[in-house]
Amino acid sequence: MQIYRAHVLICGGTGCTSSGSENVKKEFEEQLKKHHLENEVQIVGTGCFGLCARGPVVVVYPEGAMYTMVRVEDVEEIVTEHLLKGRMVRRLLAGGQEAGDVTQSLDKVDFFKKQLRIALRNCGIINPEDIDEYIAFDGYKALTKVLTEMTPEQVIDTVKRSGLRGRGGAGFPTGLKWEFAARQQNETKYVCCNADEGDPGAFMDRSVLEGDPHSVIEAMIIAGYAIGAHQGFIYVRAEYPIAVKRLEIAIGQAKEYGLLGKNILGTGFAFDLELRLGAGAFVCGEETALMTSIEGHRGEPRPRPPFPAVKGLWGKPTILNNVETFANIPRIILNGAEWFAGIGTERSKGTKVFAMGGKINNTGLLEVPMGTTLREVIYDIGGGIPGGKKFKAAQTGGPSGGCIPASHIDTPIEYDTLVQLGSMMGSGGLIVMDEDTCMVDIARYFLDFTVDESCGKCPPCRIGTKRMLEILERITGGKGEEGDIEKLETLAKNIKASALCALGQSAPNPVLSTLRYFRDEYEAHVKEKRCPAGVCKAMMKYVINADSCKSCGICAKNCPVGAIEGEKKVPYRIDQDKCIKCGTCMEKCPFKAIFKNV
Amino acid sequence: MSVAGECCCGNVDTREQKLTEIIEKYKNTKGALIPVLHEAQELYGYLPLKVQKKISEGLDVPLAEIYGVVTFYTQFSLNAKGKYKIQVCLGTACYVKGSSKVLDKLREKLGINVGECTEDGLFSLDACRCVGACGLAPVMMINDDVYGRLTVDDVEGIIEKYRNK
Ligand SMILES: Cc1cc2nc3c(=O)[nH]c(=O)nc-3n(C[C@H](O)[C@H](O)[C@H](O)COP(=O)(O)O)c2cc1C
Ligand code: FES
């Protein structure tokens, strides 16, 4: 085997690929050839490092130097300076100049300091398209242990004692779920993986699949052994082409190595795996709808009970777990239940991966022990809010969740505390909002989403959410009526109580939680016809400050609808009837003479 | 004879033959319908009625059920899309970062609404929910290319690039 003295890891996740990491990789290949280093330095395409906002990201080992926002033009410098002469290119290092003084700079970058990576352990470190790299990092060792040393009961017992709870939303104890399915007497059972990742604004499952697909495959085989299933399905969003491709490659390699198929590792245990592509329906993330969809139908949920563990896919006992839940399993088997249970809090064990986005400096992927506070996540890891703006709220749980306001920023993040605050853990989307975000508009946004995604099977969800949306549109449109807020509350209560599946039952949550913490904003919209954040177009206008206007005419030139008029030496004016409130004039004005009047 | 989008170039439409092969490949798979629809859409770009009929016969699934499935999932389309399919992300991360302004700009530039296609068949415009590149919000996709960290000012240049291709 060829031994290399240095490795250049280049992120090939979706974020960095969109930022141009493919071309950076090609340039590295050329430059290494040009400087005759191709036999000394190896290039590895990896999955996501998590720091997507600063992509393309390149890490050079053995030093562990992390370069961010690397452009094609920067590559030659990294090759000649760092790889040839051993001097790090400080201007490109994550964490700035001082990071260059320490050798293991990766750990010193603020973004990584407070993180603990279990589910993401291999993401950004191994080449996801090469099973040998996974194996070199203890891959399939847990499977070997399970198949050769443990009984199915012992496996379930370990998962139960670890305290692992589902990472897909509801937080149901994983070991218990497996136990229910294991108890069913049936020759045919199924293991399914929920890789539908429907929460708009979340991408952690995608990153695991793209960066470490084998960890999910290994865990699914273990689950199959534990409950007595021989067939698995991974239901993955069709919107994730890179993840689909990597999974296909991984399944192919696992088959080739005898890790999937008839006689796994010579133990006689058989397990096979198939991919199924979703087709863009949020409700298909719900477990019963997902199974109906795999069966080839409209993805409508069915009433529970019977629970899938009893009657699931094609009427057979089935377990369904989330991608991240599965990614934890191999480590729990190898390091033991006690190790895992020692991380996190009393009732939430282990770590949680969050996809942090919105108004935050370091957008990206992070994994922290349960119980880490929101403040640590937003300020220590996320680097705070851009532009010196004020933090207003964080949204978790997507369309089923709610907001955590600034007053609760020191709350530890765990399943139960989030529910108490009226939000939920959800799958891990964490959207940060600042003072410029209108909370009524956000509630309207999520309702618009659920109305769009409601499958239409049950009336409370189909009709009720639509009525709620109409009221919210009225309020944000400046036509709110006395009593609208109370109507929203009544509808919310009834929908929660009567909808068929969790999509409908949780659809009112974004409204209820914003009402709980930001009722004054609703009231300002309804009573004063005013949007305090200046977002709702119907209630604000752009105005030119006559004193600071220098009559340069740039605003008028850029206005797409010709709503601005003026002449030399006279301040310009906006015709409010023509104005479409796009905000272009305000952005373009060199003298900051245009402002929003709310 | 071609199934959809009659063409005058004189070449034989091989898609029908390919569709038959796709159906054959999945015929004995449990839950075959959705994978077949995916591949058929890949082949034709959309799922016209004639294609659905053929799948119905091939898989022995009632046409009504197929139509029900096609209209349920947003990925399946009954209408032809543009040569360049523009999808603007309206997922939460992108929405908070102002992707609806990007969408407005595209509407204005292309003169079409969401769900429509330009007359020359070059561009179609759709909104989608999260393409999983939230770190780069706001994001749009044109066919398989992802454009991140967009500003309203980027729109024109990007469109021109495709127009001149
Ligand atoms: C409307 C709706 C959408 C859901 N979307 C997802 C999803 O995208 N990914 C996911 O893992 N779980 C999703 N869930 C939760 C699943 O129903 C299920 O609880 C979960 O996949 C079980 O796995 P876990 O126990 O490992 O979390 C969704 C639930 C509902 C009601
Ligand atoms: S919200 Fe737009 S890519 Fe995720």
Side-chain angles (χ1 to χ4, degrees):
Chain A
M1 197 176 123
Q2 172 95 17
I3 306 278
Y4 295 95
R5 71 169 166 86
H7 289 83
V8 176
L9 276 51
I10 303 173
C11 177
T14 298
C16 285
T17 305
S18 325
S19 305
S21 66
E22 290 270 320
N23 289 335
V24 170
K25 190 170 166 203
K26 273 197 206 111
E27 182 69 14
F28 262 107
E29 281 160 10
E30 306 241 315
Q31 289 294 338
L32 287 183
K33 259 198 221 117
K34 185 170 149 198
H35 296 281
H36 309 291
L37 291 173
E38 68 267 40
N39 293 324
E40 292 175 42
V41 180
Q42 191 186 24
I43 298 174
V44 185
T46 69
C48 181
F49 291 100
L51 206 51
C52 314
R54 303 194 47 85
V57 175
V58 173
V59 177
V60 179
Y61 280 101
E63 296 90 345
M66 181 178 226
Y67 296 115
T68 56
M69 293 187 133
V70 177
R71 291 164 309 156
V72 171
E73 304 89 87
D74 299 325
V75 171
E76 178 150 25
E77 188 179 345
I78 297 180
V79 170
T80 54
E81 282 297 306
H82 188 155
L83 294 170
L84 216 52
K85 302 181 190 147
R87 294 195 291 244
M88 290 187 207
V89 183
R90 294 186 175 203
R91 66 177 179 90
L92 293 171
L93 283 178
Q97 302 282 337
E98 68 276 22
D101 299 333
V102 287
T103 32
Q104 281 296 327
S105 41
L106 201 55
D107 310 332
K108 297 287 191 259
V109 178
D110 284 338
F111 183 73
F112 293 103
K113 264 188 223 163
K114 291 211 166 165
Q115 294 201 42
L116 173 66
R117 301 190 142 215
I118 299 174
L120 298 179
R121 61 192 177 275
N122 291 329
C123 284
I125 295 181
I126 64 169
N127 175 354
E129 297 184 6
D130 185 351
I131 190 171
D132 288 330
E133 293 204 9
Y134 180 68
I135 292 173
F137 281 78
D138 290 342
Y140 291 105
K141 209 166 146 188
L143 178 67
T144 315
K145 179 169 167 190
V146 162
L147 292 185
T148 56
E149 297 169 23
M150 295 170 82
T151 63
E153 294 74 29
Q154 284 171 328
V155 176
I156 291 175
D157 184 57
T158 306
V159 177
K160 264 170 80 179
R161 280 187 299 113
S162 75
L164 176 66
R165 293 169 67 175
R167 301 295 193 238
F172 192 80
T174 306
L176 268 186
K177 191 187 276 188
W178 291 17
E179 194 174 50
F180 288 144
R183 277 207 211 123
Q184 301 300 316
Q185 300 295 329
N186 205 316
E187 290 209 345
T188 314
K189 297 181 189 175
Y190 296 107
V191 175
C192 295
C193 173
N194 192 341
D196 197 40
E197 195 148 66
D199 173 1
F203 54 101
M204 52 282 140
D205 294 346
R206 165 174 211 161
S207 300
V208 171
L209 296 175
E210 287 178 0
D212 194 16
H214 284 287
S215 67
V216 175
I217 296 173
E218 179 176 8
M220 289 183 74
I221 310 171
I222 293 173
Y225 177 75
I227 70 160
H230 302 289
Q231 177 68 46
F233 290 93
I234 304 179
Y235 187 85
V236 55
R237 296 183 80 188
E239 290 93 329
Y240 287 181
I242 301 181
V244 172
K245 186 184 125 209
R246 301 238 164 103
L247 275 171
E248 278 167 356
I249 295 174
I251 291 175
Q253 290 177 341
K255 281 191 179 151
E256 217 174 276
Y257 276 51
L259 296 163
L260 277 175
K262 287 250 147 42
N263 181 13
I264 297 177
L265 294 165
T267 60
F269 178 67
F271 192 81
D272 219 330
L273 209 49
E274 263 183 52
L275 274 189
R276 285 302 163 92
L277 263 53
F282 174 63
V283 70
C284 288
E286 196 277 338
E287 53 183 14
T288 59
L290 184 146
M291 290 172 200
T292 326
S293 178
I294 293 183
E295 289 167 8
H297 307 292
R298 291 164 67 95
E300 291 176 351
R302 346 183 229 252
R304 299 177 307 175
F307 286 93
V310 180
K311 251 183 151 167
L313 197 54
W314 286 295
K316 306 291 182 198
T318 305
I319 57 161
L320 173 73
N321 278 119
N322 165 263
V323 170
E324 188 189 333
T325 314
F326 277 128
N328 278 297
I329 295 286
R331 269 301 124 107
I332 292 176
I333 299 287
L334 282 183
N335 296 2
E338 290 68 28
W339 164 79
F340 193 80
I343 303 165
T345 64
E346 168 94 41
R347 304 203 48 211
S348 303
K349 302 298 185 192
T351 56
K352 179 77 194 86
V353 182
F354 287 99
M356 186 155 57
K359 307 282 185 66
I360 184 92
N361 276 318
N362 298 333
T363 49
L365 210 63
L366 54 107
E367 181 170 356
V368 287
M370 296 275 189
T372 305
T373 67
L374 194 56
R375 184 188 298 278
E376 289 172 287
V377 170
I378 290 176
Y379 286 97
D380 298 346
I381 299 173
I385 319 290
K389 300 258 172 164
K390 242 175 50 205
F391 168 69
K392 185 171 192 176
Q395 212 280 348
T396 64
S400 316
C403 292
I404 307 164
S407 53
H408 288 282
I409 194 171
D410 288 310
T411 309
I413 302 174
E414 47 181 345
Y415 290 100
D416 312 279
T417 48
L418 292 191
V419 170
Q420 275 160 24
L421 291 178
S423 184
M424 63 186 261
M425 183 74 85
S427 54
L430 188 110
I431 309 286
V432 181
M433 301 173 190
D434 68 5
E435 53 195 281
D436 293 339
T437 315
C438 168
M439 301 317 276
V440 188
D441 181 58
I442 286 296
R444 186 206 56 78
Y445 167 81
F446 280 119
L447 252 291
D448 183 54
F449 180 88
T450 25
V451 167
D452 217 24
E453 295 294 342
S454 170
C455 76
K457 188 165 171 173
C458 78
C461 180
R462 183 181 66 233
I463 304 171
T465 55
K466 180 95 180 146
R467 290 292 94 81
M468 285 184 80
L469 176 63
E470 283 164 4
I471 297 176
L472 286 165
E473 282 177 341
R474 198 154 72 210
I475 297 179
T476 52
K479 301 204 175 75
E481 296 162 9
E482 195 68 37
D484 271 352
I485 297 178
E486 291 71 23
K487 266 187 214 149
L488 278 177
E489 284 172 327
T490 316
L491 273 168
K493 211 173 89 201
N494 292 337
I495 296 171
K496 272 180 96 80
S498 55
L500 170 65
C501 84
L503 188 149
Q505 289 157 13
S506 62
N509 286 354
V511 178
L512 289 174
S513 110
T514 44
L515 264 175
R516 178 164 162 189
Y517 298 111
F518 301 98
R519 202 182 179 93
D520 53 330
E521 281 191 35
Y522 279 84
E523 284 170 354
H525 281 76
V526 175
K527 296 196 177 129
E528 302 161 34
K529 304 286 178 277
R530 188 171 67 84
C531 172
V535 172
C536 298
K537 284 185 184 172
M539 282 173 277
M540 60 86 160
K541 53 184 177 189
Y542 287 93
V543 187
I544 298 176
N545 181 345
D547 294 336
S548 7
C549 176
K550 301 261 187 288
S551 311
C552 66
I554 291 182
C555 54
K557 218 179 285 157
N558 280 289
C559 177
V561 291
I564 309 184
E565 278 178 13
E567 55 210 86
K568 272 202 187 118
K569 303 228 171 112
V570 185
Y572 276 57
R573 290 168 313 278
I574 302 177
D575 182 343
Q576 297 296 341
D577 291 335
K578 280 193 197 158
C579 174
I580 54 167
K581 295 170 185 169
C582 64
T584 308
C585 53
M586 187 167 101
E587 271 164 39
K588 299 283 169 178
C589 177
F591 308 106
K592 299 207 169 21
I594 304 182
F595 63 97
K596 266 192 217 172
N597 197 344
V598 296
Chain B
M1 198 198 86
S2 69
V3 174
E6 260 79 23
C7 128
C8 51
C9 60
N11 293 336
V12 187
D13 188 350
T14 56
R15 295 182 299 187
E16 199 168 353
Q17 177 58 33
K18 287 210 187 100
L19 183 59
T20 312
E21 287 165 20
I22 293 170
I23 294 171
E24 278 307 310
K25 184 168 86 182
Y26 284 104
K27 212 167 176 161
N28 297 318
T29 311
K30 271 180 151 184
L33 180 55
I34 292 174
V36 168
L37 289 174
H38 267 300
E39 292 203 15
Q41 175 152 300
E42 184 115 324
L43 191 61
Y44 286 92
Y46 69 118
L47 294 167
L49 201 57
K50 285 186 179 171
V51 171
Q52 294 178 47
K53 274 192 185 142
K54 196 164 157 69
I55 295 173
S56 162
E57 284 156 20
L59 292 180
D60 199 18
V61 175
L63 183 60
E65 196 178 321
I66 296 189
Y67 185 77
V69 169
V70 170
T71 50
F72 184 86
Y73 296 97
T74 46
Q75 287 256 314
F76 297 136
S77 170
L78 293 170
N79 306 317
K81 294 279 168 197
K83 180 171 174 208
Y84 302 115
K85 290 191 280 285
I86 306 179
Q87 293 191 301
V88 180
C89 177
L90 289 185
T92 321
C94 290
Y95 184 77
V96 171
K97 288 258 197 153
S99 63
S100 45
K101 283 192 184 160
V102 174
L103 185 61
D104 287 345
K105 184 80 183 179
L106 279 162
R107 268 204 215 125
E108 180 201 320
K109 273 273 137 288
L110 299 172
I112 53 173
N113 256 317
V114 172
E116 293 176 355
C117 188
T118 52
E119 258 175 35
D120 55 9
L122 216 46
F123 296 102
S124 55
L125 183 60
D126 285 291
C128 66
R129 309 274 190 183
C130 192
V131 297
C134 322
L136 304 176
V139 170
M140 72 171 175
M141 276 177 85
I142 301 187
N143 292 348
D144 285 338
D145 295 329
V146 179
Y147 293 87
R149 299 187 193 110
L150 281 175
T151 65
V152 174
D153 295 336
D154 297 337
V155 168
E156 195 157 352
I158 296 174
I159 295 296
E160 284 314 307
K161 200 176 91 189
Y162 283 88
R163 233 191 257 289
N164 299 331
K165 253 193 184 171

